[in-house]
Amino acid sequence: MKIVLITRRLVLMICGGLLCLFSHFSAKGQEVQLSVYTIRNLSFGAFFQGNAGGTVTVSHDGSRSVTGDIIPANMGFLFYPAIFEVEAAPGTLISILNGADATLTGSNGGSITLRIGESDLGTPFNTTATPPARTQVTIGATLTVGTPQANPSGSYSGTYSVTFINE
């Protein structure tokens, strides 16, 4: 069994009721037979935080939904799932294991929870591309946002992990 661990560093900005997620990601393949590349970073776009909080979900298909009193905003900040590319021999069986929920800690106090969602290919899946071509995988996530008192304006950061396992 070969394992590639993907760790992500997230920075979340809350500014005057406007909530945006900026992220910096990197990926490393640990085995020659399996390599994973980050193609696009996860983004929740812009939204307003109401008095009760709620969730923002970006699905693996690129759609965004909100619950509670979160209001999505079209302010030029795009939302989209993370995209990875897996390089392995065609037909390789790959499982995806999401790490524990990540806690993003605020620079002015508070914390927000990030839960990694499902991939578009499910788990496990078989790679379809012959190297150097790669099999593309998209993964969404859900951000749980509290009240303005619990999640004051500022920068939020933390890490999460996704593990690709070569079966």
Side-chain angles (χ1 to χ4, degrees):
M1 181 184 322
K2 296 164 182 72
I3 298 177
V4 176
L5 180 62
I6 309 301
T7 300
R8 304 281 178 254
R9 178 130 182 97
L10 299 175
V11 178
L12 181 66
M13 299 293 294
I14 300 179
C15 303
L18 175 64
L19 188 63
C20 306
L21 179 71
F22 301 96
S23 57
H24 172 73
F25 299 106
S26 63
K28 294 182 182 178
Q30 295 179 335
E31 296 288 337
V32 174
Q33 294 86 1
L34 174 65
S35 296
V36 179
Y37 303 88
T38 301
I39 303 305
R40 185 173 66 193
N41 303 324
L42 177 68
S43 176
F44 291 91
F47 51 90
F48 293 95
Q49 173 188 25
N51 289 328
T55 65
V56 180
T57 300
V58 174
S59 176
H60 62 74
D61 67 7
S63 62
R64 179 173 68 168
S65 60
V66 298
T67 66
D69 66 354
I70 302 293
I71 302 168
N74 269 337
M75 301 184 72
F77 296 100
L78 301 177
F79 55 89
Y80 38 78
I83 297 178
F84 302 97
E85 288 184 348
V86 177
E87 186 175 347
T92 300
L93 185 64
I94 306 289
S95 291
I96 300 173
L97 179 63
N98 294 339
D101 290 355
T103 300
L104 308 180
T105 305
S107 60
N108 293 320
S111 63
I112 294 175
T113 302
L114 176 75
R115 173 172 283 190
I116 302 302
E118 298 178 359
S119 82
D120 62 331
L121 300 180
T123 186
F125 68 91
N126 287 305
T127 57
T128 56
T130 301
R134 302 170 184 159
T135 301
Q136 193 170 84
V137 180
T138 62
I139 298 177
T142 298
L143 191 64
T144 301
V145 181
T147 65
Q149 295 77 24
N151 298 131
S153 297
S155 297
Y156 286 77
S157 62
T159 58
Y160 72 91
S161 66
V162 176
T163 305
F164 290 84
I165 305 168
N166 180 351
E167 301 287 340

